[in-house]
Amino acid sequence: MPRVFADGCVTVHIFNMAEITKSYEPKDVEDKWYAAWQEAKCFAGRAAPGQETYTIVIPPPNVTGILHMGHVLNNTLQDVLIRRARLEGKAACWIPGTDHAGIATQTMVEKHLKKTEGKGRRDLGRDEFLKRVWTWRDEKGDHILRQLRQLGCSCDWDRTAFTMDADYSRAVLTSFVKLFNSTDAQGRSHIYRGKRMVNWCPASLTALSDEEVEMRPTKGFIYKLRYELVEPSTTKGAEGNVMPLTHLTVETTRPETIPADVALAVHPDDERYKHLIGKTVWRPLGERVQLPIVGDTAVDPVFAAGVLKVTPAHDKVDFEIGQRHKLPVIDLLNADATLNDLAGPALAGMERFAARKKSAELLRESGALIEEKPYENNVGYSQRAGVPIEPRLTQQWWLRYPRIEEAKQVVRDGLIQMHPERWSKVYLNWLENIQDWCISRQLWWGHRIPVWYAKGIDREKLTEADLRDPKKIHVSLDGPADPENWEQEDDVLDTWASSWLWPFGTLGWPDAEAQKAANFDAFYPTTTLATGADIIFFWVARMIMAGLEFANPGAPVEQRIPFKHVYFNGIVRDKQGRKMSKTLGNSPDPLDLINAYGADGLRFGLLQIAPLGQDVKFDESRVEAGKHFCNKLWNACRFRQMSGEMADNSSLAAILGRVDPAHLDDDDHALLGALLDTMATLEKSFAGFEFAGATQRLYSFFWNDFCDWYVEVAKARLQEPAAKAHVLAVQDLVIREFLLMFEPFAPFITEELWHLLGYGAEKSFVQETRIETAAGLVALFAKRGVTVDAAATGRVEQLKQFSTLARELKADQSVAQKRDVKFFALAGQPEWHALEKNLSKLARLVGAAEISRTTEKLSLPATVTSLGTLYLDTGVQVDPAAERARLTKEIHALNKHIVGTEARLSNEAFTSKAPPAVLEGARKQLADQQAKRAELERLLAAVQ
RNA sequence: GGACCCUUAGCUCAGUUGGUUAGAGCGUUUCCUUGACAUGGAAGAGGUCACUGGUUCGAGUCCAGUAGGGUCCA
């Protein structure tokens, strides 16, 4: 379909060798090529026998999520890796998918339900509610996967997985059953059920794992309270004097829990109180009862007055103290953190924070409150719901992690490498202090735990032994044969207890047939996991343990690990350094950026600010620069097309066949040298996951080495009939190799240009081409009789400096734009020889009518180059004073460097200890600087 | 309290085994629409590399400490 641009330019997209337009318009190109790639199924992970594979599993985004900048960075990185692997000839497989995200999704649907129908989930019942969630997922889900296509992600979409898929669910339940039936090193079942203190989220009404709790400093109050002794006593003061004692002073931030106090605790060695152990105090709030004073080493005698109120139901430490002293448990909180009747009539029914205020008032009235002062302490918040969690004693399912030691060892041994390496320390530290994992959630959306209780059994009172009694508990994938006698567990599994199977669950595990169909043997272990360090515990560590436990059982450890490399990308932050988040509204919509700058521009721009594992502040100007770079590439190719007839570009051999070794000049050699260097740099960058370095080199190679210099100097050579075909061949070669290197970073524009310049046949794609290694290209050059002359780079560098100095001189003389000026070079024979060969292109570059040799010293403005003194004849009278000032300034600047170099060289320690190359470099530098200064001084003296 | 990271130009960032005069993009100053590209070209200004000390012939780079910022774990 013809497209008319604003400037009236009309373009028609035909498949091959169309005329290149004036500027790059990403939209059409992106849509067209993505559709073509998909149609050709060229992202399919297919491995020939023996072919090296490269596998990535996507960190599955929430099924109802939308693309944000973090996804863009993370997925661009994965796409860069997978596309590069394809170009290297590996069987690349990138498995996409989504996570059912239990709490997040259920909360979202519940909110929607409330808003549209005014109902809660319990009004609908479990089955009906789940139907609604699935409908929601079908309507709103996978949006993010479509967005990833717009970014250019080359996932194998036929493998798209979802953690709630039937197959995947079966994998999740299988893992549960296997862990339930297996034991750890101490012979204990990996999975058990127990009434323990958990992190309870009063908003989501479920237990959370420790990892889902976030400690936040929170401003509140601390209340200093009197607990009256039933029998007054004495205590020892600071000087050992005996003083009367009528009450104990307790400080607490949670006075509303006093009705649940069952004791006071003091340190057993505390001289002030140890004689009181066994005595009693009056509870100051709630039912007026006597509380025992117990001695426990968990009490910090230095904190506050050294007396702790013991509230076993509402604090983890208190619970443990309660257990040690066989104290009762009074739970006065409901699931939603309102107070129940045990709190007493004054507080019952109140919300916890209101109850806190109320109880402080009551205590003040009764005289028990001594003081109330502002206080900041760390409070655990539900990461998802953002409310303070409550420690709560409930029955939950727990996992004793399998393979903890092995999981440490594979990282220590380098079988799994983390990039940057420092994260392995964080990982190991977590494993050293690992706690059992609370895997049950009181939700409906998720994998329902495959446990059935015999009807009529009291679930609250089941013992460890009962759990192993098949008459009381049934655990299996498909449930009991006589379902009428059983009731299934209501809880579902933590979302992470499904996604920890992701690297093999997406490859067919545990079904042998499915594994074969997915080519599990070729693609597992996966190669690289790219993710954020914020989920190193949630996901990375757990996947490693799961892989070791379940994948390729019995095989050597290197076949069981889930991945070989973990690349931690940084977190994308806003200009103020804040995390980008929906609530802050500080994240630009990536699709807006794609519309404004093109997907390639966004990808390239973001990678330029994404150093290894460091957080990045998002800077839109980088994305704009990415777009500009694409446009530069586009126009360089456009210029190539306009410079001469296109010849056979269909293969590297064909292009090399058009390169004429007899016509290779210094510029060709320098350019090919830079190309080889860029290729080598990329090879090194990919090996070390250093993307910023790779993008920088690509940028400078193409823009500076190729466009700014080679293309400009080649303009003169293109006028020579004998050299023209050769020069075009060199350009075709370099553009081809550049497109191959650039394709992983900018797949759309490279694909388009690849075809426009005839590198690829119709219905073929860049990624089907094998990229050469630098060494491989050197060998191909050699076959063609070409040896890249490394010394040419230095000679070209001299010419670059020469033109810069010539332009600078013109600018100084205010004739920067005049093109009819004359230059005279006062040069020795070798210098003139170097210049003579390049006069036409130099004249063109600097904008001169003529550059010629002079053997006489002239009275003209001049500059000193490494190829001789260069005089500029503008035809206009110069101002001697200004000339003297200019030369003096330059001499002054040069002097500073000479002084420094002289000082170094006159230091005997330096001359005796520095390596010869460094020493020689310094000597040569000094000689050059001194010669230049001498010449500048001569010029200065000559100005009259 | 423990661990880790960061501090380089006005802004965002490179700078991987220590070695000429520390780089890029954006911004900024001057000049330029010359047939690839103004999404461009040319020339320029702009840095005590947070601070202090140490190791070394030589430190942005290595070591120790200080200050500020950030993250994780308790």
Side-chain angles (χ1 to χ4, degrees):
Chain A
M1 198 176 156
R3 181 179 163 88
V4 183
F5 291 102
D7 63 356
C9 180
V10 178
T11 178
V12 180
H13 284 296
I14 56 174
F15 214 88
N16 211 353
M17 306 286 257
E19 191 180 310
I20 298 176
T21 54
K22 192 171 154 72
S23 65
Y24 176 54
E25 296 293 335
K27 196 69 205 147
D28 294 347
V29 171
E30 291 172 3
D31 294 347
K32 175 182 72 174
W33 284 115
Y34 206 91
W37 294 331
Q38 280 211 281
E39 195 191 342
K41 291 212 180 286
C42 55
F43 303 147
R46 283 181 293 243
Q51 188 182 10
E52 191 181 342
T53 57
Y54 197 101
T55 318
I56 298 177
V57 288
I58 203 168
N62 288 1
V63 65
T64 57
I66 54 159
L67 196 69
H68 61 64
M69 293 309 294
H71 293 123
V72 173
L73 175 61
N74 176 247
N75 287 288
T76 298
L77 287 162
Q78 293 175 75
D79 199 42
V80 168
L81 289 169
I82 210 85
R83 284 178 181 271
R84 173 83 185 185
R86 265 188 218 113
L87 289 171
E88 288 172 349
K90 293 168 188 161
C93 183
W94 183 9
I95 303 174
T98 48
D99 190 305
H100 67 282
I103 299 180
T105 307
Q106 175 166 321
T107 307
M108 197 181 285
V109 176
E110 279 186 283
K111 268 190 193 153
H112 178 74
L113 196 62
K114 197 91 200 160
K115 209 172 130 190
T116 55
E117 300 179 36
K119 289 180 184 165
R121 64 171 152 136
R122 283 170 216 288
D123 298 325
L124 295 186
R126 186 171 190 134
D127 291 345
E128 182 55 30
F129 179 76
L130 285 177
K131 259 190 216 163
R132 301 293 181 94
V133 184
W134 277 104
T135 307
W136 177 273
R137 178 231 119 101
D138 291 341
E139 283 171 9
K140 312 249 164 121
D142 291 348
H143 182 60
I144 193 165
L145 297 185
R146 289 189 287 278
Q147 293 180 309
L148 288 178
R149 290 173 171 89
Q150 287 183 262
L151 188 61
C153 293
S154 59
C155 306
D156 182 352
W157 298 110
D158 290 338
R159 292 178 183 259
T160 302
F162 176 45
T163 49
M164 286 293 283
D165 280 344
D167 293 351
Y168 197 95
S169 296
R170 199 150 178 93
V172 175
L173 302 186
T174 301
S175 71
F176 183 95
V177 174
K178 279 179 183 282
L179 287 166
F180 185 86
N181 291 325
S182 63
T183 53
D184 69 0
Q186 280 107 66
R188 302 171 303 181
S189 170
H190 281 119
I191 286 181
Y192 63 95
R193 183 175 147 89
K195 191 164 192 175
R196 290 180 34 184
M197 200 61 107
V198 297
N199 309 299
W200 183 263
C201 174
S204 305
L205 304 181
T206 177
L208 301 174
S209 65
D210 294 343
E211 286 70 30
E212 287 162 292
V213 176
E214 191 178 286
M215 301 306 285
R216 293 189 204 162
T218 302
K219 286 194 168 75
F221 292 92
I222 191 159
Y223 303 87
K224 194 188 269 190
L225 303 167
R226 309 164 61 109
Y227 280 61
E228 302 295 336
L229 283 160
V230 175
E231 301 165 22
S233 178
T234 56
T235 186
K236 280 183 192 147
E239 286 94 35
N241 50 327
V242 176
M243 305 188 306
L245 188 68
T246 58
H247 65 271
L248 290 179
T249 305
V250 175
E251 296 195 22
T252 180
T253 57
R254 304 203 57 188
E256 75 279 13
T257 64
I258 292 173
D261 285 354
V262 294
L264 290 188
V266 297
H267 196 280
D269 301 333
D270 193 328
E271 290 298 331
R272 295 169 295 180
Y273 309 122
K274 61 193 238 189
H275 60 286
L276 296 175
I277 293 171
K279 300 279 185 2
T280 55
V281 293
W282 292 109
R283 182 153 74 198
L285 188 67
E287 195 184 349
R288 183 174 162 81
V289 295
Q290 295 184 17
L291 306 176
I293 298 166
V294 300
D296 197 288
T297 51
V299 180
D300 178 2
V302 191
F303 178 79
V307 186
L308 184 72
K309 74 185 199 63
V310 183
T311 320
H314 302 295
D315 184 275
K316 208 173 169 192
V317 172
D318 292 17
F319 179 72
E320 284 157 12
I321 294 173
Q323 297 253 291
R324 283 194 283 273
H325 299 278
K326 302 204 166 31
L327 297 168
V329 176
I330 302 171
D331 183 349
L332 48 73
L333 283 181
N334 296 313
D336 63 357
T338 55
L339 276 68
N340 61 29
D341 291 345
L342 293 174
L347 298 175
M350 289 185 87
E351 186 273 330
R352 56 182 161 160
F353 301 110
R356 187 169 303 168
K357 268 191 184 162
K358 177 77 181 168
S359 53
E361 279 168 30
L362 294 172
L363 288 160
R364 186 176 287 116
E365 284 165 16
S366 71
L369 179 62
I370 303 167
E371 193 186 357
E372 170 184 349
K373 54 187 172 186
Y375 187 74
E376 184 175 287
N377 64 339
N378 269 333
V379 175
Y381 281 72
S382 159
Q383 200 189 43
R384 179 70 47 192
V387 299
I389 56 106
E390 285 295 335
R392 188 155 188 254
L393 199 56
T394 51
Q395 284 279 1
Q396 301 290 345
W397 289 93
W398 298 84
L399 174 70
R400 294 185 178 102
Y401 286 98
R403 310 275 174 178
I404 296 169
E405 285 310 312
E406 216 173 31
K408 289 183 211 163
Q409 207 54 40
V410 291
V411 169
R412 284 199 205 105
D413 292 348
L415 288 175
I416 295 176
Q417 288 176 35
M418 301 203 175
H419 311 272
E421 208 281 327
R422 60 187 156 87
W423 288 111
S424 58
K425 214 172 151 180
V426 177
Y427 166 87
L428 289 169
N429 185 262
W430 184 73
L431 282 174
E432 291 297 337
N433 301 295
I434 198 162
Q435 305 287 316
D436 291 352
W437 178 9
C438 176
I439 53 172
S440 46
R441 295 289 177 276
Q442 288 65 54
L443 306 172
W444 287 349
W445 177 238
H447 303 93
R448 194 164 176 181
I449 293 176
V451 169
W452 284 259
Y453 302 95
K455 267 189 183 161
I457 207 163
D458 185 353
R459 296 186 197 180
E460 293 294 305
K461 299 216 166 109
L462 288 171
T463 63
E464 279 267 339
D466 291 336
L467 289 180
R468 303 290 139 191
D469 182 347
K471 285 203 268 311
K472 293 178 177 156
I473 291 282
H474 176 93
V475 177
S476 76
L477 279 179
D478 301 308
D482 52 339
E484 64 278 10
N485 298 320
W486 301 84
E487 284 171 338
Q488 189 174 357
E489 167 66 59
D490 294 311
D491 292 354
V492 300
L493 288 169
D494 180 6
T495 297
W496 297 103
S498 61
S499 50
W500 73 324
L501 313 173
W502 194 243
F504 47 93
T506 52
L507 282 168
W509 185 89
D511 183 73
E513 282 304 309
Q515 281 182 234
K516 211 174 149 192
N519 209 347
F520 178 97
D521 288 344
F523 293 117
Y524 191 92
T526 73
T527 314
T528 300
L529 176 79
T531 188
D534 51 337
I535 52 176
I536 188 169
F537 310 137
F538 278 115
W539 197 45
V540 180
R542 287 165 176 169
M543 276 194 288
I544 293 173
M545 289 185 273
L548 291 167
E549 175 72 9
F550 296 118
N552 284 323
V557 65
E558 58 269 23
Q559 293 168 37
R560 288 185 283 120
I561 52 174
F563 30 73
K564 295 162 194 159
H565 299 275
V566 186
Y567 174 85
F568 291 107
N569 56 254
I571 293 166
V572 184
R573 298 175 177 281
D574 71 2
K575 285 227 158 174
Q576 284 101 59
R578 301 174 303 181
K579 262 191 191 180
M580 287 194 171
S581 76
K582 230 191 288 182
T583 45
L584 279 174
N586 58 350
S587 173
D589 183 343
L591 296 189
D592 290 344
L593 294 171
I594 289 176
N595 284 330
Y597 304 108
D600 291 333
L602 174 60
R603 293 164 61 116
F604 194 67
L606 204 52
L607 284 191
Q608 279 195 300
I609 48 170
L612 184 68
Q614 212 69 255
D615 286 4
V616 288
K617 277 189 201 151
F618 180 67
D619 180 359
E620 194 165 325
S621 72
R622 289 291 189 142
V623 179
E624 194 176 5
K627 176 194 172 189
H628 293 174
F629 185 60
C630 288
N631 193 58
K632 188 73 179 176
L633 169 63
W634 184 260
N635 273 286
C637 292
R638 179 170 187 244
F639 182 62
R640 160 62 192 92
Q641 206 182 42
M642 292 167 68
S643 297
E645 279 300 299
M646 299 304 298
D648 185 0
N649 268 347
S650 62
S651 70
L652 182 56
I655 301 170
L656 278 170
R658 295 192 284 115
V659 172
D660 182 356
H663 271 103
L664 283 170
D665 69 2
D666 277 355
D667 292 318
D668 293 325
H669 279 287
L671 177 68
L672 295 178
L675 172 67
L676 290 171
D677 177 71
T678 306
M679 292 169 77
T681 300
L682 254 74
E683 285 160 26
K684 213 177 131 202
S685 299
F686 273 97
F689 294 89
E690 290 163 15
F691 299 99
T695 54
Q696 267 177 27
R697 188 68 187 106
L698 286 170
Y699 189 97
S700 71
F701 169 71
F702 196 80
W703 203 308
N704 303 129
D705 298 337
F706 186 63
C707 293
D708 289 348
W709 185 257
Y710 187 85
V711 170
E712 289 306 318
V713 299
K715 281 175 180 170
R717 290 171 81 200
L718 285 171
Q719 306 306 313
E720 306 164 26
K724 185 172 176 180
H726 163 79
V727 169
L728 291 177
V730 170
Q731 293 190 2
D732 287 347
L733 171 72
V734 167
I735 292 173
R736 181 188 191 273
E737 297 311 296
F738 180 78
L739 290 178
L740 286 173
M741 283 190 284
F742 195 44
E743 191 266 354
F745 301 90
F748 294 110
I749 189 173
T750 47
E751 188 79 76
E752 179 74 1
L753 290 169
W754 186 256
H755 291 276
L756 287 171
L757 295 177
Y759 293 113
E762 198 175 330
K763 303 279 180 197
S764 75
F765 303 100
V766 179
Q767 58 176 300
E768 289 158 8
T769 313
R770 295 295 78 85
I771 195 170
E772 287 72 32
T773 60
L777 191 58
V778 168
L780 287 173
F781 282 159
K783 264 170 91 179
R784 179 69 192 140
V786 174
T787 308
V788 174
D789 178 6
T793 303
R795 293 193 291 270
V796 168
E797 202 49 46
Q798 272 193 318
L799 293 179
K800 284 184 188 172
Q801 281 167 14
F802 181 90
S803 28
T804 298
L805 286 165
R807 287 161 171 164
E808 194 181 348
L809 186 58
K810 280 179 75 184
D812 277 334
Q813 303 303 320
S814 307
V815 290
Q817 293 316 309
K818 287 184 80 172
R819 302 190 67 81
D820 58 353
V821 300
K822 289 177 185 169
F823 281 106
F824 300 97
L826 180 65
Q829 192 50 43
E831 288 79 18
W832 178 248
H833 184 66
L835 284 174
E836 201 175 15
K837 289 190 294 184
N838 299 292
L839 285 181
S840 64
K841 73 187 180 197
L842 286 174
R844 187 192 177 97
L845 280 173
V846 305
E850 186 188 346
I851 303 174
S852 53
R853 187 180 184 189
T854 177
T855 48
E856 289 172 34
K857 293 163 181 160
L858 307 175
S859 301
L860 289 170
T863 187
V864 181
T865 80
S866 60
L867 294 169
T869 298
L870 188 67
Y871 293 99
L872 171 65
D873 184 359
T874 61
V876 179
Q877 190 64 38
V878 298
D879 173 8
E883 274 306 283
R884 278 195 295 271
R886 181 175 70 86
L887 291 166
T888 306
K889 194 180 157 200
E890 195 171 351
I891 291 167
H892 187 72
L894 193 55
N895 262 334
K896 277 204 306 203
H897 297 303
I898 290 175
V899 169
T901 316
E902 278 174 344
R904 276 206 304 158
L905 282 167
S906 60
N907 183 349
E908 196 274 334
F910 174 67
T911 51
S912 63
K913 288 187 180 174
V918 172
L919 194 55
E920 201 195 320
R923 285 193 173 127
K924 181 170 185 315
Q925 185 199 337
L926 182 61
D928 290 348
Q929 286 171 337
Q930 284 171 335
K932 183 168 183 179
R933 181 176 62 182
E935 180 63 3
L936 285 167
E937 280 168 346
R938 186 192 67 73
L939 289 170
L940 178 61
V943 178
Q944 295 307 325

